[in-house]
Amino acid sequence: MRTTSLALVTLLASCAPEYQQPRDACLATAPGGASASEDANAAVVQLNCYRRFAGLGKARVDTELSSAAAAHASYLDVNWTNGDSLTEELPGYPLFTGATLADRATSHEFYYASDATVAVLEVVETKLEATMPPGAMISAWMDDPFARQYMLQPSVMGVGFGQTNTWAVYDVAYSEPTLEASDHPITYPAAKQIGVATTWVAPQDVFVVSSEIPPIVQGVSYGYPITLTVGGYDMSTSSANPYDVQLLEAPTLTCSVDGDVPVVVFTPENLATSTLLQTVVIIPAMPLAPSSDCHLTTRLGWSGTTGDVDITYTTGE
């Protein structure tokens, strides 16, 4: 049941992390990494740089999910052809271990795969280079605003990672509802972050349901995307927008060099070609100038809560 009362919370620059860049928040090892593969441990070590920097708890390497991810990467290596699903497997094909992620997680003895209070999500991508290390794949997904929500998912229970020379697979399990981050949005870039990239080149076309909002075009350069991710104690029956994420105030982005910057905004309700579970994506419509102090303000509503976002960050040189 959805809560009807509203609580007002504010995320201000004064709530900034104690780190200035994600690398400042890195640890040498990841929880559970000692019993995991070298690839899985390296991936989650890098993941936790971003999670700790954003104010989230550390993710734990899950050996069963990592086995499922590695097996799926091997399946794709042998069977995938252009046009096939990246996340589904076909029974009877070589190296088949389960049609869906939940099936594969179960076949590799991930205990919670069939629990209604646990969700499992998967990101699959071809590697740009065969030698691309796990940490670099995590960073590439963090740069993609539509994959980033899986990296900064609140209430993570376990993460799996597996790769071949061609494919990288990331599986994450988290509690649902996502109880962590229920009182404020998790922003990335974070408040007072420095060295933020000035440019993001869209890896694919992204469309919204309204023709009034311009699409994101593959290969075109934009400013580095901003994401606002929330959690909540209540979920609605809407599969497209389970946390009832609403943009209550249009985002305003002003930078010291560029001035007022136009933005393209994606929400769980207006995105036509991909799924945003509990995230708002704000993409500057043009690359930003280097060494520019940028100030973002907006207001969100979700799961019976409203929250003001008021952060500054600085682009790199």
Side-chain angles (χ1 to χ4, degrees):
M1 174 176 288
R2 191 180 305 168
T3 306
T4 55
S5 61
L6 294 179
L8 177 63
V9 295
T10 303
L11 179 65
L12 299 171
S14 60
C15 299
E18 59 182 299
Y19 314 107
Q20 291 186 305
Q21 299 184 78
R23 66 189 182 198
D24 299 335
C26 292
L27 299 173
T29 60
S35 59
S37 69
E38 183 177 340
D39 282 349
N41 180 64
V44 180
V45 164
Q46 184 67 21
L47 173 66
N48 282 336
C49 298
Y50 294 106
R51 291 185 62 83
R52 296 183 73 233
F53 178 76
L56 290 167
K58 298 189 297 291
R60 171 175 290 275
V61 186
D62 188 281
T63 54
E64 289 77 21
L65 282 180
S66 293
S67 295
H72 187 51
S74 297
Y75 170 91
L76 293 172
D77 245 1
V78 172
N79 299 299
W80 188 84
T81 58
N82 191 31
D84 288 351
S85 169
L86 291 176
T87 57
E88 296 181 0
E89 296 184 8
L90 296 175
Y93 278 56
L95 304 182
F96 172 84
T97 58
T100 67
L101 169 57
D103 294 336
R104 295 189 293 274
T106 299
S107 72
H108 286 87
E109 300 183 342
F110 178 66
Y111 179 73
Y112 297 99
S114 59
D115 193 320
T117 64
V118 177
V120 285
L121 296 169
E122 183 166 69
V123 183
V124 180
E125 192 160 346
T126 54
K127 296 170 64 176
L128 298 177
E129 301 174 7
T131 57
M132 194 172 186
M137 284 302 310
I138 295 296
S139 294
W141 283 326
M142 277 295 297
D143 288 339
D144 182 336
F146 302 101
R148 187 185 299 162
Q149 61 177 332
Y150 303 128
M151 309 298 117
L152 299 183
Q153 185 62 233
S155 299
V156 164
M157 300 176 60
V159 168
F161 179 88
Q163 65 174 359
T164 63
N165 286 340
T166 307
W167 297 96
V169 179
Y170 169 93
D171 295 340
V172 57
Y174 62 96
S175 61
E176 193 173 69
T178 53
L179 307 184
E180 192 175 356
S182 60
D183 61 347
H184 65 276
I186 298 299
T187 68
Y188 194 88
K192 295 187 178 180
Q193 183 170 341
I194 65 172
V196 175
T198 61
T199 304
W200 175 69
V201 179
Q204 62 186 18
D205 294 336
V206 184
F207 298 94
V208 292
V209 295
S210 171
S211 60
E212 298 178 358
I213 303 175
I216 295 298
V217 180
Q218 181 179 7
V220 172
S221 295
Y222 301 89
Y224 192 73
I226 305 160
T227 52
L228 315 173
T229 300
V230 299
Y233 290 89
D234 296 293
M235 298 176 65
S236 73
T237 58
S238 168
S239 59
N241 192 10
Y243 291 90
D244 197 24
V245 178
Q246 307 288 331
L247 198 62
L248 303 180
E249 182 180 296
T252 299
L253 180 64
T254 304
C255 297
S256 59
V257 178
D258 300 294
D260 294 336
V261 179
V263 296
V264 181
V265 181
F266 297 95
T267 71
E269 291 191 326
N270 74 8
L271 194 62
T273 58
S274 186
T275 299
L276 286 173
L277 299 176
Q278 58 216 77
T279 296
V280 171
V281 174
I282 302 168
I283 301 178
M286 61 187 186
L288 303 180
S291 301
S292 186
D293 296 325
C294 295
H295 181 207
L296 172 74
T297 61
T298 188
R299 173 178 283 198
L300 297 182
W302 72 96
S303 296
T305 299
T306 63
D308 292 331
V309 176
D310 188 340
I311 63 167
T312 59
Y313 62 90
T314 305
T315 57
E317 297 180 355

